[in-house]
């Protein structure tokens, strides 16, 4: 194994550990907004994993998919935050 292979193994290990920590935050989050932030961080980690996979393979075909997932994560976070804000406002 080359040094670059060790770097990719370390990268995917750290991304996996980050996903596990974020999943814990999604499950145990004290509020809805905390869960929304965790899901946004999850989409960032997914895009990061795709970028690392693209770098590993040396293929640029994933760029469109990465942009799509990043935009969906951003729009989903905004929509969920707006919904949570209206729900909190309605409760009073």
């Amino acid at each position: 194994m080359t040094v670059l292979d060790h770097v990719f193994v370390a990268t995917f290990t750290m991304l996996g550990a980050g996903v596990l920590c974020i999943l814990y935050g999604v499950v145990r989050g004290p509020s809805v907004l905390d869960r929304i932030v965790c899901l946004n961080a999850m989409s960032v980690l997914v895009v990061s994993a795709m970028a690392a996979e693209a770098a590993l393979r040396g293929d640029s075909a994933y760029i469109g998919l990465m942009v799509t997932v990043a935009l969906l994560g951003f729009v989903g976070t905004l929509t969920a935050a707006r919904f949570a804000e209206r729900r909190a406002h309605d409760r009073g």
Side-chain angles (χ1 to χ4, degrees):
M1 280 178 73
T2 65
V3 174
L4 195 56
D5 291 334
H6 290 293
V7 169
F8 282 122
V9 168
T11 300
F12 286 117
T13 302
M14 287 187 275
L15 285 172
V19 166
L20 289 176
C21 291
I22 289 173
L23 283 176
Y24 178 77
V26 168
V27 172
R28 299 283 301 188
S31 70
V32 173
L33 292 177
D34 292 328
R35 290 183 172 107
I36 291 169
V37 169
C38 286
L39 289 174
N40 186 26
M42 180 75 75
S43 70
V44 169
L45 285 179
V46 167
V47 171
S48 299
M50 283 187 225
E53 181 70 24
L56 177 66
R57 294 181 185 265
D59 189 10
S60 62
Y62 292 110
I63 292 176
L65 183 62
M66 288 187 296
V67 169
T68 304
V69 170
L71 286 174
L72 285 175
F74 176 71
V75 170
T77 300
L78 287 180
T79 303
R82 182 170 287 183
F83 175 73
E85 179 185 18
R86 284 187 183 171
R87 188 171 141 195
H89 184 272
D90 290 343
R91 285 186 180 173

